[in-house]
Amino acid sequence: MQGRIIKIISNDYTVYSNNKEYICKCRGLFRNQNIKPVVGDIVEFDEKNNYILKIITRKNSLIRPLIANVDQALIVSNVKPSFDTNLLDKLLCIIEFNNIKPIICFTKLDLLNNSELEEINKYIDYYKKIGYTVFINTEIDKIKKIFKDKITVFTGQTGAGKSTLINKLDSKLNLETGEISKALGRGKHTTRHVELLKIHDGLVADTPGFSNVSFIDMSKSDIRDNFIEFNEYKDKCKFRDCMHENELVCEVKNKVNDKTIIESRYENYLKFIK
């Protein structure tokens, strides 16, 4: 039979197939070839003896969170205690590189004063303008519609509100949530393993929170090419392989100067390529 791995705990692989779950083990062949199935893998398995026999070729995979065959990523980005544009832009770039559709969800706007809210709305408008789908975590009915027939990974910094949002989307899941540590200014780890959860006719992954990701297997030009708004202007740069950094004639830098491209995006880009 063929199914999808929806949970891994120790050496037990939960495979979902035909509305039924099977707890399977891996063949020794995988260990000998140093192959490790991950959550999201589509596999062929022996449903009588409960053994995974073959991993179907993945269309994509992420290292952290460790998951395969993702359709879209919902990046949960909190605006309090502070809004981390660096992490958001890093996640957007990496997710784009992996051919996964990024969707942004901002949380904790209710904690902002009027001037802070006005500033955050500028960012929201900008990310929408360059082509991203953006939600506020109070738009629950709208968010529910994105999951149908998709595998969605929830990602973002620890304490951003991922588990809380999933609980709002489906209260039956009742995921463990943690309070924000005021002393550390960041959330406590609450999610302990990657698991695909059935929700609104799709599957979503609630993943361990993290605050540091790296550009594994990405070159400087990969980073450049996955800042999607830069691609609109690169043909007007003097050099075909312009890195939009030290070149004298660069249309991307012109667009930063005239504020068409928001300054935080460009500054983060420079940090990433360095």
Side-chain angles (χ1 to χ4, degrees):
M1 292 178 65
Q2 193 171 98
R4 187 184 299 275
I5 297 175
I6 60 170
K7 180 168 61 175
I8 301 173
I9 296 180
S10 189
N11 293 318
D12 291 332
Y13 298 79
T14 303
V15 179
Y16 183 66
S17 178
N18 296 332
N19 296 315
K20 186 177 177 182
E21 294 183 4
Y22 300 81
I23 308 297
C24 297
K25 300 290 186 181
C26 267
R27 293 175 64 192
L29 173 67
F30 293 124
R31 288 193 296 274
N32 295 337
Q33 296 178 348
N34 201 25
I35 298 171
K36 186 172 177 62
V38 302
V39 168
D41 271 333
I42 298 170
V43 297
E44 290 180 2
F45 68 103
D46 178 344
E47 74 277 15
K48 293 179 181 176
N49 298 306
N50 287 12
Y51 267 95
I52 293 174
L53 306 174
K54 181 182 178 182
I55 301 171
I56 306 302
T57 302
R58 297 166 181 159
K59 70 176 183 180
N60 57 43
S61 62
L62 295 173
I63 300 298
R64 192 175 183 186
L66 187 58
I67 189 168
N69 299 312
V70 177
D71 296 304
Q72 55 191 15
L74 188 64
I75 304 170
V76 183
S77 182
N78 55 298
V79 298
K80 274 285 189 179
S82 62
F83 174 41
D84 190 346
T85 65
N86 186 287
L87 179 62
L88 175 57
D89 289 338
K90 189 181 289 187
L91 287 169
L92 287 170
C93 186
I94 292 168
I95 290 164
E96 289 278 359
F97 175 72
N98 284 280
N99 296 312
I100 297 168
K101 179 184 178 181
I103 300 170
I104 305 168
C105 180
F106 287 104
T107 67
K108 307 186 182 181
L109 274 77
D110 56 310
L111 303 178
L112 300 177
N113 61 38
N114 288 339
S115 62
E116 290 171 332
L117 184 59
E118 187 177 340
E119 185 65 22
I120 288 298
N121 280 333
K122 291 178 183 176
Y123 287 102
I124 292 173
D125 291 343
Y126 180 78
Y127 285 109
K128 286 181 177 179
K129 184 186 76 173
I130 63 175
Y132 289 116
T133 301
V134 182
F135 293 108
I136 308 301
N137 65 322
T138 53
E139 298 178 305
I140 297 299
D141 289 339
K142 290 182 180 179
I143 299 172
K144 284 179 180 179
K145 295 176 182 177
I146 71 172
F147 300 110
K148 185 176 174 61
D149 300 326
K150 303 286 185 185
I151 292 201
T152 307
V153 59
F154 275 63
T155 191
Q157 190 167 14
T158 307
K162 297 184 296 296
S163 296
T164 301
L165 178 60
I166 292 177
N167 285 337
K168 285 183 179 178
L169 291 164
D170 189 342
S171 59
K172 295 192 298 293
L173 295 174
N174 194 29
L175 296 181
E176 178 188 1
T177 58
E179 64 185 14
I180 295 296
S181 167
K182 292 180 180 177
L184 295 175
R186 60 180 185 267
K188 298 176 180 178
H189 289 274
T190 55
T191 311
R192 293 178 175 82
H193 62 271
V194 179
E195 179 178 355
L196 285 174
L197 308 165
K198 295 179 278 291
I199 182 171
H200 299 296
D201 300 317
L203 293 168
V204 304
D206 183 39
T207 62
F210 60 96
S211 56
N212 185 35
V213 289
S214 59
F215 295 100
I216 296 171
D217 296 329
M218 292 180 69
S219 65
K220 288 185 177 184
S221 57
D222 288 330
I223 294 171
R224 175 199 63 197
D225 295 344
N226 287 284
F227 268 71
I228 58 173
E229 70 269 46
F230 292 6
N231 296 326
E232 187 177 342
Y233 309 109
K234 64 181 182 180
D235 290 341
K236 294 182 180 178
C237 294
K238 182 175 181 180
F239 301 106
R240 189 173 181 181
D241 60 349
C242 183
M243 288 301 296
H244 321 310
E245 184 182 14
N246 299 316
E247 297 86 351
L248 293 177
V249 182
C250 171
E251 187 63 15
V252 168
K253 290 199 293 185
N254 290 341
K255 293 302 178 183
V256 175
N257 291 333
D258 71 15
K259 303 191 185 309
T260 302
I261 293 175
I262 200 166
E263 189 174 2
S264 62
R265 284 276 288 175
Y266 182 66
E267 289 177 350
N268 287 334
Y269 164 73
L270 293 179
K271 290 174 186 174
F272 299 159
I273 62 173
K274 287 176 182 175

